[in-house]
Every structure is written in structure tokens, then in C-alpha cells.
Amino acid sequence: MQKNKRYFTLIFLCFCGSLFAQNQINSPYSRFGIGDLQSNILSEYAAMGGSSIGSYNPNIVNPYNPASYSAFKANSFIFSTGGAHQTTRMKTIDLEQTTNNSSFSHLILGFPINKKIGMSAGLLPFSNIGYHIEDSEIHPDLGNINYSYNGDGGLNILYVGAAYHLAENLSFGANANYLFGGLNRNKKVIFSDGETYNTRKTSSISAKGFFYQLGLQYYGDINDKTHFTLGFTANNNAEISAKRSVLTETYEFVSSIYEIVKDTIENTSTGFTSNMVLPKNIGVGFSLDMDNKWLFMADLSMQDWSEYRMFGESDSLANSMKLSGGLQFTPDKMSVNKYWKLIKFRFGGKFQKSYLQLHNTQLNERSVTFGFGLPLRKTKSEINLSAEMGERGTTNNNLIKEQFFRFQIGLSLKDVWFVKRKYD
């Protein structure tokens, strides 16, 4: 009966993770490019500034460097899912607004094939769009004109990956990533003169296609108590199939909630063609495990967004860079009587030059992080908590500063498969 309950719980979590994997946000900056790019969403790594490229851990599924899958121990199975909440305060020189958003985040699993090969598969968010912006102006002839901008949707990644031990201390891995989703943007122009018809434009983009991620890790010993790992990852410069539909209409209000279309100005739709160019990304990472208590990790990654194209348009994006680092402390991994000594205490920070360049200003993001890894007694599973406080953007040049607090919770379930029972 206990075995059946465990399988039922796993199936239920799989369903929830699949259903709610698309994150929801509220940021005016998600209006540009392909939306708000999702960084490391596993709370184990988020608490350490998002560093993960140099992580070679048999107890964590690390999709951000596929070379890590060869670390899985024999007969092990790891399932991970989680959720997140973010509070964002947006500020201009004279305006301020606070928003709250919650969602499920990811669904991933990992397992070994044999002593040299490990595999992983999962569903991860790649980018999100979520914004509602209102503006107005007074025209000398048309009177007051109101503008409304809305957007929603996002892109997800469904991946399958494997890693292989090339040598005793060297592992190579690859992910096949299927990118899919939709980006929806709407604009309304509302006139108050009573004579001019209002205008609305709806643009929807659907994307689907493959790109590939390669990973390499070298791990070794400095002495009996100090171990290190060097990691490298790279994505190819991929052409993704995309189609776009655009509908532009004029309309008038009959009541506050009812509208009548007066004319269709544009109604176009394209088929799926290679209209989206996703630029390559490279990253390097390092981890240092000392005395089985201290773990330090750091990452540096860069992406050339000048190569990005969506239906031939570049959207004036800039090359991005992210630098992150973190520290984990475990008082005593072998403690039997004192639970607090088993807790993993994590701290970190991140600095990022985003791919957004608006009004000749490239937006920067900086944050500090912390969190805990809470083992579940009598199991190999763990609950992971992380918190991140930071800011993005500026109030200069008519831009918006975002100050955010992000909380994540992750559940990592570990079990042993294919082991015969000695007793019934």
C-alpha cells in the first residue's frame, strides 16, 4: 500500500507540474524581444545566486549543464518540481506600483542508465510575457487620446539529455531542447472626441523548433578533503520556426463593455517558417567542495543577442552577460541526533547585463540570495527554499526601476529503483 501511495503522489505532482509549468509575471520590460528570460529556477541553485554550471552532484538534477547527469548513482531516481512567488515594486520618477505573482515553475527527472551514462528529461520555462501599460496624451484636434498595451504568453523548453563518462574525471553531455509557445501583444488607441473610431491591433506569434546544448565537466581532487569541478556549456545558434498573425481593426463603444467593429484594416497570417533566430550562448563555471562542509560555486555566461531576429527584426537587443556566485555550508552531513546540522545553508549574489537596451541605456540587474536545504527524515528527499532580493532598471531616461523579492520552494524526491526486496 505504501508503495502505491508513493507512485500516486508522483503521478499527481507530474500532472500539477505539467499543468502550471508556465510562469506568470508582470513587467513592462517583458514587452520587448521574446519577453523576460527565465534564469535558474531550481531553488537549490537560485539560493546560490543561480550558479550551476560547475555543479556535479548525484543528488540534484542539473539541466543547466547536461554533463552532470553522469553523476547519478546506480538505481537512483530523482524527481524535482517547485513553485515561486514574486513581489515587484515598479517606480518611475513620479509613479509607483506593486504587483504580486505566483506560479509553479518546473518539472524534471533524472536517472542513470549504467555506470557511465545518465539521463534527464523535463519541462522548463524559457521566457515569459506579462504586462499592462496605460498612457495618454492631449491632441490639439482630437482631444484626449488613451493608449493601452497588453501582453501575455511565453516560451517553454521540453528537453531530453544524456551524459557520458569520457574518462575517469571527465564527463560530456548534451540536451535536445524543443522550444515552443506563444507570444501575444495587443495595443489599443481610444479617442475621446466622439467622432474618430478607436483602433486596436492584436499580434500573436507561435514558435516551435529544436536547439541543442552541450556540456563538459572536469572534476578532480586538490587533496583528500578538497574537490573541484570545472564546467563549460554552449548552445548552438538556432533557427526556430515561427508564424505570426496580425489583426488591426477600428471599432466604437456601444456601452462600457460592448464594442462594434467598424472596419478591418489588416488581417494577415503566415505559416511556420524559420523566422526566429535564437543566438548562441556560452558559459563557464567552477565549484569547490571543502572538508565536506563548504561548497563554493561561480558562473559566467554570455549571449550575443545582436544575432537575434524575429521576422527579420532585431528589436535593438544588446549582448547579455551574467556573473553569479554562491556559498553553501552544511554543519555535519553525518549527524544523527541533531537535525539542524543536516541543513544546508546557502548564500549568493548575481549581477547581470540584460539583453534590453532602451533609450540608449542597457538595463542591469543585481540581487542577493539566500536559502536552505531541508532534508526529509528517513528518506533521501529534500525541500529547498530560496529567497532573492534585487533590482533591475533605472528611473533615468524615462525608464522604470523594478525592485523585487522572489521566493521559491522546490521538492526533490529521491528513490531507489530496481532493487529486489529481501523480505515481503
Side-chain angles (χ1 to χ4, degrees):
M1 177 65 74
Q2 186 64 31
K3 185 177 181 180
N4 291 335
K5 286 183 178 179
R6 186 165 64 241
Y7 288 154
F8 174 80
T9 301
L10 181 59
I11 293 172
F12 175 75
L13 288 171
C14 287
F15 173 78
C16 290
S18 299
L19 186 61
F20 298 104
Q22 179 64 54
N23 244 347
Q24 299 298 317
I25 63 167
N26 193 333
S27 170
Y29 289 131
S30 68
R31 178 183 173 190
F32 303 97
I34 55 176
D36 221 21
L37 298 180
Q38 299 301 289
S39 57
N40 201 312
I41 47 80
L42 271 69
S43 50
E44 296 96 317
Y45 297 129
M48 300 177 69
S51 303
S52 60
I53 296 175
S55 175
Y56 189 76
N57 191 324
N59 299 313
I60 301 177
V61 185
N62 179 13
Y64 303 101
N65 190 338
S68 65
Y69 305 151
S70 64
F72 299 142
K73 295 187 180 299
N75 300 320
S76 65
F77 179 85
I78 304 174
F79 171 82
S80 176
T81 189
H85 175 85
Q86 179 167 320
T87 298
T88 306
R89 185 172 67 172
M90 295 174 282
K91 299 171 58 178
T92 63
I93 294 177
D94 52 2
L95 297 175
E96 184 175 314
Q97 181 182 357
T98 300
T99 63
N100 291 276
N101 301 92
S102 299
S103 66
F104 282 86
S105 58
H106 67 282
L107 170 68
I108 58 177
L109 54 89
F111 51 90
I113 300 299
N114 55 39
K115 292 182 178 180
K116 287 193 173 184
I117 301 176
M119 289 195 67
S120 176
L123 180 65
L124 299 168
F126 185 76
S127 73
N128 293 312
I129 287 182
Y131 62 88
H132 175 74
I133 304 171
E134 293 185 353
D135 197 4
S136 64
E137 67 171 334
I138 298 177
H139 192 275
D141 298 321
L142 300 175
N144 192 52
I145 304 176
N146 296 312
Y147 299 91
S148 177
Y149 305 88
N150 293 277
D152 59 67
L155 301 177
N156 300 302
I157 289 177
L158 183 64
Y159 80 91
V160 176
Y164 179 73
H165 271 295
L166 294 174
E168 182 179 358
N169 294 335
L170 186 64
S171 180
F172 171 80
N175 282 340
N177 300 311
Y178 179 68
L179 184 72
F180 66 97
L183 310 173
N184 307 307
R185 296 179 172 93
N186 305 285
K187 176 183 178 180
K188 285 186 177 182
V189 182
I190 301 173
F191 301 91
S192 61
D193 62 351
E195 298 179 359
T196 307
Y197 290 140
N198 306 312
T199 304
R200 63 188 178 196
K201 180 179 180 179
T202 300
S203 174
S204 299
I205 296 175
S206 297
K208 61 179 181 179
F210 287 93
F211 71 97
Y212 304 94
Q213 178 185 17
L214 304 179
L216 193 67
Q217 287 186 328
Y218 177 81
Y219 29 90
D221 302 327
I222 296 177
N223 53 49
D224 291 342
K225 294 185 178 182
T226 306
H227 319 282
F228 71 91
T229 303
L230 300 175
F232 172 81
T233 63
N235 294 347
N236 66 311
N237 196 351
E239 293 187 355
I240 304 298
S241 295
K243 70 175 183 178
R244 177 169 61 183
S245 61
V246 179
L247 177 62
T248 305
E249 301 170 312
T250 59
Y251 69 98
E252 66 175 349
F253 289 110
V254 175
S255 66
S256 60
I257 60 173
Y258 188 61
E259 304 168 354
I260 293 180
V261 175
K262 305 302 293 185
D263 191 15
T264 299
I265 301 173
E266 180 183 11
N267 188 1
T268 61
S269 181
T270 65
F272 277 104
T273 56
S274 298
N275 283 317
M276 176 180 171
V277 177
L278 188 66
K280 59 181 175 291
N281 176 70
I282 60 172
V284 293
F286 172 76
S287 70
L288 186 66
D289 190 343
M290 298 169 286
D291 201 27
N292 214 26
K293 291 184 177 182
W294 297 92
L295 174 65
F296 172 77
M297 294 200 299
D299 284 0
L300 173 64
S301 61
M302 294 174 287
Q303 194 161 12
D304 185 7
W305 284 96
S306 64
E307 300 178 353
Y308 165 82
R309 294 292 184 275
M310 178 69 81
F311 295 95
E313 300 174 1
S314 64
D315 215 359
S316 300
L317 303 182
N319 295 342
S320 63
M321 181 276 291
K322 182 173 69 172
L323 177 64
S324 61
L327 183 68
Q328 174 182 286
F329 173 67
T330 310
D332 185 0
K333 292 183 178 180
M334 305 304 294
S335 178
V336 176
N337 299 322
K338 296 182 179 180
Y339 176 80
W340 71 270
K341 289 188 175 182
L342 300 173
I343 296 176
K344 299 177 177 68
F345 299 88
R346 297 167 176 144
F347 310 90
K350 176 177 66 177
F351 173 79
Q352 180 175 357
K353 282 184 170 294
S354 78
Y355 75 163
L356 297 177
Q357 183 166 289
L358 307 172
H359 299 174
N360 296 318
T361 302
Q362 186 170 3
L363 300 185
N364 295 333
E365 178 179 325
R366 54 184 63 84
S367 63
V368 293
T369 62
F370 63 92
F372 308 95
L374 308 175
L376 301 179
R377 287 190 177 275
K378 298 182 180 180
T379 71
K380 296 182 179 180
S381 302
E382 190 171 75
I383 295 175
N384 293 284
L385 308 175
S386 71
E388 181 177 5
M389 295 177 292
E391 65 178 26
R392 176 174 66 167
T394 176
T395 56
N396 298 329
N397 299 326
N398 294 318
L399 294 175
I400 298 172
K401 176 184 283 189
E402 295 181 340
Q403 296 174 320
F404 60 85
F405 174 81
R406 184 181 299 123
F407 173 78
Q408 295 178 221
I409 180 170
L411 177 61
S412 181
L413 301 175
K414 306 180 185 70
D415 208 343
V416 178
W417 279 21
F418 309 118
V419 176
K420 293 183 179 180
R421 295 178 180 270
K422 293 183 178 182
Y423 303 99
D424 292 331

